[in-house]
Amino acid sequence: MLFRLLRFVLVLAIVASAPLPLGAAAQGLDQAASGVVADQQKILQDLTTRTDNLEKKIQEDGDDDASLVDIRLQLEEMSQGALNSALAFRPRLSEINARLDQIGAPPAAGQPPEPVTSERQALASEKAEINAVIAAAQNLSIRISGLIAKIGNMRSELFRNLLTKRYVLSDALSPEVISDANGEFNGFNKAVSSWLAFAFKFKFQAVLAATLTALSLAAVLFVGGRRLFGRVFEADPSVEDPSYLSRLSVAFWSTLLPTLAVGVFLVSSVFFFNYYNVLRGDIGVFLNALVAVLAVVFCVNRLANAALEPRLPNWRLIPVETGPARWLVRLTTAMAVVIGVNYFLSVVNDKMGSPLSLTIARSFVATIIVGIILILMALLKPFKAADGSWRPWPAWLRYTAVAIGLFTIATALLGYIGLAIFVSLQVVVTGTILVTAYIGFLSARAISEEGGFAKTSIGRWLSTNSSYEESALDQLGLVVSVAINLMIVLVFLPLILLMWGFQPGDIEAWAYKLATGLTVGSVTISVTGILTGIIVFIIGYFLTRWFQGWLDGSVMARGKVDTGVRNSIRLAVGYAGVALAALVGVSAAGIDLSNLALVAGALSLGIGFGLQNVVSNFVSGLILLAERPFKVGDWIVAGEISGTVKKISVRATEIETFQRQSVILPNSNLINNAVGNWTHRNKLGRIDIKVGVAYGSDVKQAHAVLLEIARGHPLVLKNPEPFVLFTNFGAAALEFEIRVFLADVMNGNIVQNDIRFAVLDEFADQHIEIPSAPRAVVEAKTHEAWPIDDDKIEVDFAEQEQAKAEAVAETKRLARSGRKTRKPDPD
């Protein structure tokens, strides 16, 4: 019974593990493929329906630029969806093509049928269905691209019409405009009053909560900003002669930071009003416009006060007199108020459906006022000469301002109201943005100069409260300069684009394309990927440095690891960590490492030809770090170079000689040539000191004195014991050599110096003479006057010969006396 049960289980297992028939397998693949095709067909059908609706909406909202931008964003998103539908079949198509290649070509006519005919037909049918879906996706993508191009053309046409359309001023200047304005004001007042009554009656707590929240946020931002950055954007009246960098920094930050604070307050107020459902549809539009106007007017006023400083002449960026500075601030602020009021009234006109004549009249008055203000500013005389007379602006600036003012007035009088408003808006808002950005760029450039950051308040604080040196502060100044420039571009460039007619949707689309990737040929560059890779590498780099410090300072220092071993381990960990961080950063940037095979091949070729010395030094450095024939702190001798090892890197080794000269020696020289290491295993070493004793001296006594001196030095080891060797009978002296062993051979010069002084003192006490080699005295030849005395020449020659004979006799006498005093041999 048990045997039958086991056989039954085995049969079930074989059946379960057996492959499906070819037809069943093909049928399963067909069902799976049909499901994918059906899903993608449904997606494409939905995208087609949405495209039809958006195409109708383009015709309906062709006059609204913001609506066209919104439609374009939706179309771009749908185009990406159609592309994804086409890409969804790429893996399956690859499988089908691979299988068809594996099956091979169909049999020719007259050949016997193949066993895979049904599979071939199924694959061909599936491929045809997939190709049909891909073709539909491509057609839809082409259609969407055409609609996007159409929207671009429509927007360009709208902008041209805005600037070139001419209005009839007779209707705008008729008495009916006053009644229209009165009626619109009453309607606006009624709408605002009804909303206020509703809000205070039914939404009082919500209004109060939203207002208090926004005020609290503004108070925290304002007070905290003043405490943290008060010295940055506040001019100090006690400073009589501030530097140009200080004036630039105060002008820039005193404009930017308060404007940002006010902007955050206004935006947060609108946000909380919407959050608590306080705003009505039309009131929300009015409030948004009012917030924008207040922000622009505040920014213009702050910039004018920061650049002209009517109260503090020594902090003034533009060297004008105090009276004209006040007038310039007033005129600039008035121009911003005029443009702001005109913008707010245009929003009110659009929302309340005002007549066209009222809109034309409002814009006409605003442009005339702006033109007059520009002419007044150009005619102002802000400078005072030495003789007390007032001087005007430079000619180019004065004529440019007058020309812009006259152009604005002329275009308004000719009926080109849109162009006049556009020019006025660019003069006020774009001018403010450009001037602020320019001051920021100048401030960043001044900070990046050598010693510039140290002169700022933050630099002075860092130099006082930290250990940063001047070079470190200069490097930090470069980083701050780059950050300021990047912030200026990110903040002010979108504002300028908005002022030149672009919509927020345009900037959003460009930012999305820049973040997701720009395609240049066959290469896709993703800014987000690159930034991610850089951030990952920086994090990995600092983690590696932290781990190096922790391993060296906490683990190896407590383990009493040798300094050289610690240096080798620290370097190895550093190189490995940086290499790993680079690999992870490259992968995070979206770069396929397999694509670098060609680069690696080219690099190998370059190594074979031109970089072999560099690679040889690199490999030699790795060998030195691994085998450690010497370490940091060792005293080595490499050829003619002798000194202490200071640093071992992968390319070269730094050796500091005893003259304090740093020698950078390539690692391949240290591997291929002989290197002597005085402190390889330990610092024990022997030093030799040569001493000469005059002939005729007591040799035994001299030997004993030298041995006593060597044994008496405190740095000389007792074991191995020092000894004195009688090395040679020299030509002028009996030669001895003192050999002593030291625990630290680095103290050899000190010991040699002490022993030589001791030898001189002891030999003087024991009356042992140290001979000195005879020195040749070279006398300068003197030329005697003519005629030469021959008798004198003969006498001088005889005297020289006699002196030589006496010297030889004296040498023989000393030699004989030395042999007489020498003791007989015991043997």
Side-chain angles (χ1 to χ4, degrees):
M1 183 67 181
L2 181 61
F3 176 74
R4 291 181 179 178
L5 181 60
L6 290 175
R7 187 174 64 180
F8 179 73
V9 172
L10 181 60
V11 170
L12 287 179
I14 293 174
V15 172
S17 61
L20 291 174
L22 188 59
Q27 184 179 2
L29 292 175
D30 288 343
Q31 292 177 355
S34 299
V36 175
V37 171
D39 292 339
Q40 297 303 322
Q41 285 177 343
K42 184 177 180 181
I43 293 175
L44 289 177
Q45 185 177 3
D46 180 60
L47 291 176
T48 304
T49 304
R50 292 175 57 190
T51 304
D52 295 337
N53 295 331
L54 290 178
E55 188 173 7
K56 295 178 181 177
K57 193 173 182 181
I58 290 174
Q59 302 299 328
E60 297 173 357
D61 300 339
D63 296 334
D64 189 355
D65 187 68
S67 178
L68 291 177
V69 172
D70 182 62
I71 294 173
R72 193 195 69 182
L73 292 176
Q74 297 182 44
L75 289 173
E76 290 178 349
E77 182 181 357
M78 292 164 57
S79 177
Q80 186 65 34
L83 179 61
N84 293 334
S85 297
L87 294 177
F89 294 104
R90 179 177 293 178
R92 181 55 185 160
L93 275 179
S94 300
E95 295 176 2
I96 293 174
N97 292 329
R99 180 57 181 162
L100 290 175
D101 292 339
Q102 183 180 3
I103 292 174
Q111 296 291 329
E114 58 182 351
V116 293
T117 302
S118 59
E119 182 182 2
R120 184 192 301 277
Q121 293 176 355
L123 292 175
S125 175
E126 180 184 353
K127 185 176 180 181
E129 292 181 0
I130 292 176
N131 288 332
V133 176
I134 292 177
Q138 291 176 348
N139 293 332
L140 180 61
S141 179
I142 294 173
R143 180 186 175 191
I144 292 175
S145 300
L147 292 177
I148 292 175
K150 181 180 179 181
I151 289 176
N153 295 331
M154 293 176 66
R155 293 186 62 204
S156 300
E157 186 65 24
L158 284 176
F159 187 70
R160 284 194 297 268
N161 291 336
L162 175 67
L163 298 183
T164 59
K165 186 175 181 179
R166 187 176 181 181
Y167 297 93
V168 179
L169 298 180
S170 58
D171 296 336
L173 301 178
S174 62
E176 296 179 357
V177 174
I178 299 177
S179 61
D180 292 338
N182 188 24
E184 181 169 320
F185 175 77
N186 292 331
F188 176 74
N189 186 27
K190 182 178 179 181
V192 174
S193 301
S194 63
W195 173 77
L196 289 175
F198 167 79
F200 280 98
K201 186 175 182 180
F202 300 101
K203 296 283 187 177
F204 178 75
Q205 294 181 351
V207 171
L208 185 62
T211 306
L212 290 179
T213 305
L215 286 176
S216 301
L217 183 61
V220 170
L221 190 64
F222 185 75
V223 176
R226 281 192 172 275
R227 286 185 175 274
L228 292 176
F229 306 104
R231 296 182 179 180
V232 177
F233 63 85
E234 287 185 355
D236 190 358
S238 61
V239 179
E240 296 182 357
D241 188 18
S243 64
Y244 181 65
L245 174 60
S246 299
R247 287 181 288 158
L248 278 175
S249 299
V250 168
F252 177 68
W253 295 109
S254 63
T255 301
L256 183 61
L257 293 179
T259 302
L260 289 177
V262 171
V264 169
F265 164 68
L266 295 174
V267 171
S268 62
S269 300
V270 175
F271 171 78
F272 287 117
F273 280 153
N274 286 320
Y275 179 78
Y276 289 109
N277 295 323
V278 175
L279 295 180
R280 201 172 60 197
D282 55 345
I283 300 300
V285 175
F286 298 155
L287 186 59
N288 290 331
L290 181 61
V291 164
V293 170
L294 292 177
V296 170
V297 172
F298 181 82
C299 179
V300 172
N301 181 262
R302 288 295 304 184
L303 177 61
N305 280 281
L308 298 172
E309 278 292 348
R311 297 177 292 106
L312 300 172
N314 51 340
W315 284 91
R316 201 168 289 160
L317 276 179
I318 305 174
V320 299
E321 296 299 323
T322 302
R326 290 196 180 97
W327 274 108
L328 287 172
V329 171
R330 293 167 186 167
L331 292 174
T332 305
T333 306
M335 192 160 48
V337 169
V338 170
I339 292 297
V341 171
N342 177 71
Y343 172 74
F344 179 75
L345 292 179
S346 67
V347 173
V348 174
N349 293 155
D350 294 339
K351 194 65 179 177
M352 301 189 68
S354 302
L356 180 61
S357 58
L358 183 60
T359 302
I360 297 174
R362 166 185 51 78
S363 302
F364 176 79
V365 172
T367 53
I368 293 296
I369 294 176
V370 170
I372 293 174
I373 292 176
L374 280 174
I375 295 174
L376 291 177
M377 294 174 66
L379 297 178
L380 195 66
K381 296 182 178 180
F383 306 107
K384 182 178 287 188
D387 57 357
S389 61
W390 292 92
R391 294 187 295 107
W393 296 103
W396 66 270
L397 182 60
R398 183 170 70 254
Y399 293 148
T400 302
V402 171
I404 294 175
L406 292 176
F407 178 80
T408 304
I409 296 174
T411 51
L413 291 174
L414 293 175
Y416 296 100
I417 303 299
L419 180 59
I421 284 292
F422 180 79
V423 173
S424 302
L425 193 62
Q426 303 314 312
V427 168
V428 177
V429 183
T430 306
T432 301
I433 295 172
L434 290 177
V435 170
T436 307
Y438 181 68
I439 294 175
F441 282 128
L442 291 179
S443 177
R445 187 175 66 180
I447 289 175
S448 65
E449 293 179 355
E450 185 175 359
F453 184 71
K455 298 177 182 178
T456 62
S457 57
I458 298 178
R460 289 192 295 269
W461 183 86
L462 286 175
S463 60
T464 304
N465 299 279
S466 65
S467 59
Y468 284 109
E469 298 180 354
E470 292 184 3
S471 59
L473 288 177
D474 286 339
Q475 295 175 358
L476 187 59
L478 290 176
V479 175
V480 173
S481 174
V482 172
I484 292 175
N485 288 327
L486 184 61
M487 182 198 66
I488 291 171
V489 172
L490 294 178
V491 172
F492 291 102
L493 183 59
L495 295 177
I496 294 175
L497 293 177
L498 291 175
M499 296 311 303
W500 278 85
F502 295 94
Q503 297 293 333
D506 296 324
I507 301 174
E508 180 183 349
W510 293 337
Y512 178 77
K513 289 182 180 179
L514 190 64
T516 55
L518 296 175
T519 302
V520 181
S522 60
V523 179
T524 301
I525 302 173
S526 175
V527 178
T528 303
I530 294 175
L531 291 178
T532 303
I534 293 174
I535 293 173
V536 169
F537 174 75
I538 292 174
I539 293 174
Y541 176 82
F542 282 107
L543 284 177
T544 300
R545 291 290 177 256
W546 170 82
F547 183 73
Q548 276 184 295
W550 174 80
L551 185 65
D552 185 30
S554 300
V555 178
M556 293 189 290
R558 295 181 182 180
K560 307 297 181 183
V561 181
D562 184 72
T563 305
V565 178
R566 290 169 58 182
N567 179 72
S568 299
I569 294 176
R570 185 173 64 252
L571 286 177
V573 170
Y575 289 130
V578 171
L580 182 61
L583 290 176
V584 175
V586 169
S587 299
I591 301 175
D592 189 1
L593 296 179
S594 62
N595 294 332
L596 300 178
L598 183 61
V599 178
L603 184 61
S604 301
L605 186 62
I607 290 172
F609 284 101
L611 301 179
Q612 51 185 338
N613 291 333
V614 176
V615 175
S616 176
N617 291 325
F618 179 78
V619 175
S620 300
L622 297 179
I623 294 174
L624 291 176
L625 291 175
E627 291 187 355
R628 297 180 57 251
F630 53 83
K631 56 187 179 295
V632 174
D634 282 358
W635 173 15
I636 67 172
V637 179
E640 297 180 354
I641 300 172
S642 177
T644 305
V645 178
K646 287 297 181 182
K647 182 181 179 182
I648 304 174
S649 61
V650 292
R651 191 196 68 83
T653 297
E654 180 183 350
I655 301 174
E656 184 179 355
T657 64
F658 297 106
Q659 290 81 22
R660 298 298 178 183
Q661 180 190 27
S662 294
V663 180
I664 309 300
L665 201 62
N667 290 329
S668 59
N669 293 359
L670 300 174
I671 291 293
N672 299 327
N673 300 322
V675 178
N677 191 347
W678 284 92
T679 57
H680 180 44
R681 303 189 184 280
N682 50 53
K683 294 185 178 182
L684 178 65
R686 193 190 79 182
I687 61 172
D688 303 334
I689 306 170
K690 295 181 179 180
V691 179
V693 178
Y695 281 99
S697 302
D698 188 348
V699 181
K700 297 292 184 181
Q701 182 184 8
H703 182 276
V705 169
L706 294 176
L707 187 60
E708 181 180 357
I709 291 173
R711 290 173 176 173
H713 197 281
L715 296 180
V716 174
L717 295 178
K718 306 301 181 183
N719 185 24
E721 186 179 5
F723 65 95
V724 178
L725 181 66
F726 188 179
T727 59
N728 190 25
F729 292 97
L734 303 171
E735 298 176 359
F736 288 85
E737 190 173 283
I738 304 174
R739 298 180 177 178
V740 296
F741 291 88
L742 306 178
D744 188 356
V745 74
M746 305 295 288
N747 296 325
N749 290 332
I750 299 175
V751 175
Q752 290 181 22
N753 191 59
D754 294 344
I755 288 179
R756 288 190 178 104
F757 276 111
V759 167
L760 287 175
D761 294 340
E762 290 296 328
F763 276 19
D765 294 341
Q766 300 295 332
H767 303 287
I768 300 174
E769 183 182 356
I770 299 177
S772 59
R775 299 176 182 175
V777 179
V778 180
E779 296 182 357
K781 297 181 179 180
T782 57
H783 300 281
E784 299 182 358
W786 188 268
I788 299 175
D789 192 351
D790 295 335
D791 296 335
K792 185 178 180 182
I793 293 176
E794 293 178 356
V795 171
D796 292 342
F797 180 75
E799 291 178 355
Q800 291 177 4
E801 292 295 329
Q802 184 180 0
K804 289 182 180 179
E806 291 177 356
V808 172
E810 181 66 20
T811 301
K812 293 180 179 179
R813 187 185 64 78
L814 290 175
R816 287 194 300 272
S817 64
R819 287 193 294 270
K820 290 179 181 179
T821 57
R822 186 175 299 170
K823 294 181 180 181
D825 227 7
D827 298 337

